Amino acid sequence: MIPRGANGLARELREELGVDIETGSATHLYRMATGAGGQRTELSAWLVREWSGPRSNLTAGEHVAIGWFDKGDLPEPSHPLIRPALEAAIERLAL
């Protein structure tokens, strides 16, 4: 079964990172909104277990950097609410 939103995720990852994902291996972890009015931003995190292709920053003007990390080595997120949401999502999956 393909999770809702996984096809859009696959398209974005192909365009921006050069990787192809197996959409059935994608798990939506969480979605959150921050800010207000014109400064509102929506953040969404996914876990993708199966992917192929070279990892590269194809849209360097949109991203400072990309990286792949083990859960114990995650860098400090840019927004303070991201870390607790991501840790809770990972814990629910018992990764």
Side-chain angles (χ1 to χ4, degrees):
M1 171 174 257
I2 297 173
R4 183 174 173 217
N7 288 327
L9 173 68
R11 182 183 61 252
E12 290 296 317
L13 292 177
R14 188 176 313 108
E15 291 172 2
E16 297 186 15
L17 304 180
V19 298
D20 291 305
I21 69 167
E22 174 58 50
T23 52
S25 79
T27 301
H28 189 249
L29 299 177
Y30 68 87
R31 180 181 315 273
M32 61 187 290
T34 65
Q39 299 298 316
R40 185 174 174 85
T41 301
E42 284 200 22
L43 306 167
S44 185
W46 291 77
L47 171 67
V48 178
R49 295 179 189 270
E50 297 177 36
W51 55 273
S52 63
R55 303 174 298 207
S56 45
N57 190 354
L58 300 177
T59 54
E62 295 179 29
H63 309 287
V64 174
I66 62 170
W68 271 241
F69 305 93
D70 286 329
K71 69 178 180 179
D73 297 326
L74 291 171
E76 195 59 39
S78 58
H79 191 282
L81 295 177
I82 294 174
R83 172 144 337 255
L86 184 56
E87 288 175 347
I90 289 171
E91 186 67 29
R92 279 193 311 275
L93 291 174
L95 297 176

